[in-house]
Amino acid sequence: MKRRSFLKGATVAGVAGAATSTFPAPAISQGLRQWRMVTTWPKNFPGLGTGAELLAKFIDKGSEGKLKIEVFGAGQLVKPFDSLDAVIAGEVEMGHGTPYYWRNKIPAIAFLSAYPYGMTAQEQNGWIQYGGGQQLAEEMYSELGCKYFLSGNTGVQMGGWFNKEINSLNDYRGLKMRIPGLGGEVIKAAGAETINLPASEVLNALESGAIDATEWVGPYNDLALGLYKKAKYYYYPGWHEPGTTLDNFINLREWERLPSDVKAVVEAANVAVNQLVLSEFVARNNAALKTLVGKHGVILKQFPESVLASFSTLSDKVVNDLASNDQRSRRVLDNILTYRTEAVAWTSLSETTFTAARFLYSYNKA
Amino acid sequence: MKRRSFLKGATVAGVAGAATSTFPAPAISQGLRQWRMVTTWPKNFPGLGTGAELLAKFIDKGSEGKLKIEVFGAGQLVKPFDSLDAVIAGEVEMGHGTPYYWRNKIPAIAFLSAYPYGMTAQEQNGWIQYGGGQQLAEEMYSELGCKYFLSGNTGVQMGGWFNKEINSLNDYRGLKMRIPGLGGEVIKAAGAETINLPASEVLNALESGAIDATEWVGPYNDLALGLYKKAKYYYYPGWHEPGTTLDNFINLREWERLPSDVKAVVEAANVAVNQLVLSEFVARNNAALKTLVGKHGVILKQFPESVLASFSTLSDKVVNDLASNDQRSRRVLDNILTYRTEAVAWTSLSETTFTAARFLYSYNKA
């Protein structure tokens, strides 16, 4: 396999290998390391980019500066979707994104992000941390020459931005939509054309007519991207991504060179960021939604049940077709289904009955 | 205020102050510290005690042994509910429990744990981490001479263990029930007698008839406590504790003596543990519930809607009475309600509509 440079332009010269590192050997010999993290998000993008910054900060402070990490927004060093390749090639040490961006390398990796009608953030975390997901993830990422960490969650996403009402599955026929991962495969099965675009390109693509519709994450993120400027209808729920996880991937050789205390800091920092990213979305989404509707005239709509039912049938087919054609996908899906049956039963009995009962209550009336 | 020793017996002599520390000064002068963490949980108790162990492990590994923490189960050094006093007095450096255990010191502190018809784990995390809760918590704990960290969450709890069916609020009249916090106040308002007992005493109290009913946490925990041996009916949902948080409290002087890198490790470790404890419960509860029902003949029942509605009215009254009589409770409740309105609206639109739509789906049928 030809090793190519993913780094853009002369301003970032001298980073293509250890031999031309800009960081002096003496610092490393004192146990100090300076790494670079490329991300698939715009620099400091709410929740996602801020999550990457938080990760770097926790690691810097926790390691007493033994590992300093400079965070680069999408496109600053490499194109967003080249982030994993840059880490694999050792051009940078670390990256932050979401697994389904890498499914062209290993199809089953998409299940780590989210999958249609799959699991909520809480359930997905339980699977990765206590249900076998971490082991499967490490197996896949290590084949790519990377160490994997779970590193953030968006919670249930929104269903997407459209310029027409969605009344039946027919409204997806011929639609050009930005939607990645297994959700994209389902939309394709409904007759749409799909494309994956990084955050920075979505609004332009809507504007130019390259796409008719898009999903991104949810109100807090989507307001920041300005998607309301070019699409009017905002649909929920995000059946295709009910709890999308982010990933932190580290060049495996660089990871193995870290002393064990710094490794422990990186591990704890990732779990902490995984928690904090979700909390930021939970705390900020509704205010953003009110701004979208109240200030920007967005029309908020729930998908009709018939559309959700049709997508559920297609999701079944898409996921099972993938599992039938790819042994690893079969193994990952089987692992998920065993866990998921239990987790969904517990959610139904606990969160679902509680949140239903809560509407009997009226703190605000008192 | 008389400073008393909470430490039991001669086996733990010599720990009441720095002057009699069992850890040699040279170690401290090399920047090495050995602390002790008392907990309100039995040693290695599933989810709760294992959370405390995980916290100690992350801190030890992340600080490269600069801060080693020995974890003591409930009663090993001090009585469970004396844990905070032991930390305040400086007899030990750190503790792990849940805020409402300390509401006799500051009533408003109970809101930090959970409150009737309040918030799910995800919402409660959002409030503490991004909604103003951390600042209010630090204000209260620092008045007690402690540093506060959020350090675990049980998720939605179960409603409790009973020896009779609960058909109306009258069934609570005269009932002696173990139930702490604001939920206990609601039960009291329904005519029950309530008591708070630590984990280690609950089964004995049921056995001796000191109590007729109890709640603890949920299936994974309650199976470990053996509560099914002395109560037959297991009710859900836990309207009184929809997302109970744990706390890590540190003697403020000891905290302030920590170097900044160790402080950062402690902070990240607590957020990580907060996440992992919840994941452990999410991943384990349903299997435990199946064991309780299938193997131990437990009768699983949902509270009738009329009972949930009555408790919602009483909860309103209890929480608002507390806020009317206590300025700090007023301030904390007002802060919560501002945040909660947004968070609940978001949950309803996202998680609730998704989990409802999910039942259209059938991975397992395929």
Side-chain angles (χ1 to χ4, degrees):
Chain A
M1 196 179 118
K2 194 169 155 284
R3 185 174 176 285
R4 64 185 180 91
S5 174
F6 300 92
L7 303 175
K8 292 187 344 185
T11 54
V12 293
V15 295
T20 53
S21 168
T22 54
F23 309 109
I28 291 170
S29 70
Q30 289 157 24
L32 304 179
R33 280 174 174 80
Q34 175 97 34
W35 280 11
R36 302 194 301 176
M37 185 193 325
V38 291
T39 67
T40 60
W41 332 112
K43 181 86 176 164
N44 278 315
F45 195 62
L48 308 174
T50 53
E53 300 288 341
L54 204 55
L55 180 61
K57 203 175 85 180
F58 270 134
I59 294 172
D60 177 10
K61 289 172 71 182
S63 73
E64 209 179 356
K66 278 189 275 191
L67 180 54
K68 283 192 179 293
I69 299 168
E70 191 177 0
V71 182
F72 293 88
Q76 288 188 302
L77 277 190
V78 300
K79 288 183 193 162
F81 296 153
D82 286 341
S83 296
L84 179 64
D85 280 328
V87 171
I88 291 172
E91 294 178 333
V92 296
E93 294 82 3
M94 183 186 263
H96 197 252
T98 178
Y100 59 40
Y101 287 166
W102 329 124
R103 73 189 177 101
N104 60 331
K105 297 192 186 296
I106 299 179
I109 219 164
F111 286 106
L112 293 171
S113 283
Y115 56 100
Y117 287 89
M119 300 192 278
T120 63
Q122 206 159 290
E123 293 162 354
Q124 188 86 355
N125 285 338
W127 172 57
I128 294 176
Q129 293 168 336
Y130 287 90
Q134 178 73 28
Q135 292 73 10
L136 289 166
E138 291 204 6
E139 178 188 308
M140 293 187 271
Y141 279 76
S142 72
E143 284 175 25
L144 299 170
C146 290
K147 173 72 181 172
Y148 161 88
F149 287 107
L150 175 62
S151 191
N153 199 301
T154 65
V156 178
Q157 299 206 353
M158 290 291 284
W161 295 87
F162 301 86
N163 269 310
K164 60 179 184 185
E165 281 192 24
I166 300 296
N167 295 311
S168 81
L169 215 58
N170 283 334
D171 293 317
Y172 277 86
R173 198 166 302 275
L175 195 77
K176 291 173 287 179
M177 184 167 181
R178 183 270 175 201
I179 174 169
L182 296 169
E185 296 301 314
V186 174
I187 296 292
K188 228 187 270 179
E193 291 173 45
T194 69
I195 186 174
N196 185 19
L197 296 171
S200 54
E201 296 174 28
V202 179
L203 185 61
N204 287 345
L206 269 178
E207 199 153 24
S208 72
I211 56 174
D212 310 311
T214 187
E215 58 76 71
W216 177 251
V217 170
Y220 180 50
N221 251 213
D222 296 2
L223 174 63
L225 272 190
L227 300 178
Y228 61 88
K229 292 173 192 163
K230 296 293 158 194
K232 195 173 166 185
Y233 294 97
Y234 198 22
Y235 273 87
Y236 67 94
W239 54 272
H240 62 305
E241 296 193 31
T244 310
T245 72
L246 314 183
D247 63 353
N248 175 228
F249 40 97
I250 303 172
N251 181 285
L252 201 52
R253 291 181 307 278
E254 296 295 336
W255 167 254
E256 282 164 1
R257 281 186 199 130
L258 290 181
S260 63
D261 61 317
V262 178
K263 279 184 177 167
V265 168
V266 173
E267 185 187 347
N270 267 301
V271 190
V273 166
N274 188 53
Q275 158 78 91
L276 289 164
V277 166
L278 180 61
S279 285
E280 189 175 348
F281 282 113
V282 166
R284 303 279 179 261
N285 268 333
N286 205 61
L289 186 59
K290 288 200 297 196
T291 301
L292 287 168
V293 173
K295 189 173 162 194
H296 300 302
V298 165
I299 299 165
L300 180 67
K301 290 187 93 73
Q302 185 167 357
F303 285 119
E305 187 168 318
S306 63
V307 171
L308 291 172
S310 301
F311 278 134
S312 83
T313 306
L314 287 180
S315 297
D316 236 350
K317 186 173 159 26
V318 163
V319 172
N320 281 290
D321 283 355
L322 175 58
S324 301
N325 295 320
D326 176 55
Q327 231 178 5
R328 173 121 53 183
S329 294
R330 174 84 272 156
R331 206 150 57 83
V332 172
L333 182 59
D334 285 348
N335 180 279
I336 286 174
L337 292 182
T338 302
Y339 165 86
R340 184 181 181 277
T341 304
E342 304 283 338
V344 168
W346 176 247
T347 298
S348 300
L349 187 138
S350 58
E351 299 248 335
T352 305
T353 57
F354 168 70
T355 52
R358 185 160 64 176
F359 286 100
L360 301 168
Y361 196 71
S362 57
Y363 276 110
N364 293 318
K365 273 192 274 171
Chain B
M1 195 181 119
K2 193 168 157 285
R3 183 173 176 287
R4 66 185 180 88
S5 174
F6 300 92
L7 303 176
K8 291 184 350 184
T11 54
V12 292
V15 294
T20 53
S21 168
T22 53
F23 308 110
I28 291 169
S29 70
Q30 289 158 26
L32 304 178
R33 281 175 174 78
Q34 174 97 35
W35 280 10
R36 303 195 298 177
M37 185 191 328
V38 289
T39 67
T40 60
W41 331 112
K43 181 83 175 165
N44 278 316
F45 195 62
L48 308 174
T50 53
E53 300 287 342
L54 205 54
L55 180 61
K57 203 175 85 180
F58 271 133
I59 294 172
D60 177 10
K61 288 173 70 181
S63 74
E64 211 179 354
K66 279 189 274 191
L67 180 54
K68 283 192 178 294
I69 299 168
E70 190 177 1
V71 182
F72 293 88
Q76 288 188 302
L77 277 188
V78 302
K79 288 182 193 161
F81 296 153
D82 287 340
S83 295
L84 179 63
D85 280 328
V87 171
I88 292 172
E91 293 178 335
V92 296
E93 294 81 3
M94 184 185 261
H96 197 252
T98 179
Y100 59 40
Y101 287 166
W102 330 122
R103 73 189 177 102
N104 60 331
K105 297 193 187 295
I106 299 180
I109 219 164
F111 286 105
L112 292 171
S113 284
Y115 56 100
Y117 288 91
M119 300 191 279
T120 63
Q122 206 159 290
E123 294 162 352
Q124 187 87 355
N125 285 337
W127 172 57
I128 293 176
Q129 293 167 337
Y130 287 89
Q134 178 73 29
Q135 292 73 10
L136 289 165
E138 291 205 6
E139 178 188 308
M140 293 188 271
Y141 279 76
S142 71
E143 284 175 25
L144 299 170
C146 290
K147 174 72 181 171
Y148 161 88
F149 287 106
L150 175 62
S151 192
N153 199 301
T154 64
V156 178
Q157 299 206 354
M158 290 290 284
W161 295 87
F162 302 85
N163 269 310
K164 60 179 185 186
E165 281 192 25
I166 300 296
N167 296 310
S168 81
L169 216 57
N170 283 334
D171 292 316
Y172 277 86
R173 199 165 300 276
L175 196 78
K176 290 174 286 177
M177 184 167 181
R178 183 272 176 200
I179 174 170
L182 295 168
E185 297 300 314
V186 174
I187 297 292
K188 228 187 268 179
E193 290 173 46
T194 69
I195 187 173
N196 185 18
L197 296 171
S200 53
E201 297 175 27
V202 178
L203 185 61
N204 287 345
L206 268 178
E207 199 153 25
S208 72
I211 55 175
D212 310 311
T214 186
E215 58 78 70
W216 177 251
V217 170
Y220 180 50
N221 251 213
D222 297 2
L223 174 63
L225 273 190
L227 300 178
Y228 62 87
K229 293 173 193 164
K230 295 293 158 194
K232 194 172 167 186
Y233 295 97
Y234 197 23
Y235 272 88
Y236 68 95
W239 55 271
H240 63 304
E241 296 193 32
T244 311
T245 72
L246 313 183
D247 62 355
N248 174 229
F249 40 97
I250 303 172
N251 182 284
L252 202 51
R253 291 181 307 278
E254 296 295 336
W255 168 254
E256 282 163 0
R257 281 186 199 129
L258 289 181
S260 62
D261 61 317
V262 178
K263 279 183 178 169
V265 168
V266 172
E267 185 187 346
N270 267 300
V271 190
V273 166
N274 189 53
Q275 158 77 93
L276 290 164
V277 166
L278 180 61
S279 285
E280 188 175 349
F281 282 114
V282 167
R284 304 279 179 259
N285 268 333
N286 206 61
L289 187 59
K290 289 201 295 197
T291 302
L292 287 168
V293 172
K295 188 173 162 194
H296 299 302
V298 165
I299 300 166
L300 179 68
K301 290 187 94 73
Q302 184 167 358
F303 285 120
E305 187 168 318
S306 64
V307 171
L308 292 171
S310 301
F311 277 133
S312 83
T313 307
L314 286 180
S315 298
D316 236 349
K317 186 173 158 28
V318 162
V319 171
N320 280 290
D321 283 355
L322 175 58
S324 302
N325 294 321
D326 175 54
Q327 232 176 4
R328 172 122 52 186
S329 294
R330 174 84 271 156
R331 205 150 58 82
V332 173
L333 183 59
D334 285 349
N335 180 278
I336 286 173
L337 292 181
T338 302
Y339 165 86
R340 183 182 181 277
T341 304
E342 305 282 339
V344 169
W346 176 247
T347 298
S348 300
L349 186 138
S350 58
E351 300 249 334
T352 306
T353 57
F354 168 70
T355 51
R358 186 161 60 176
F359 286 100
L360 302 168
Y361 196 68
S362 58
Y363 277 112
N364 294 316
K365 274 192 273 170

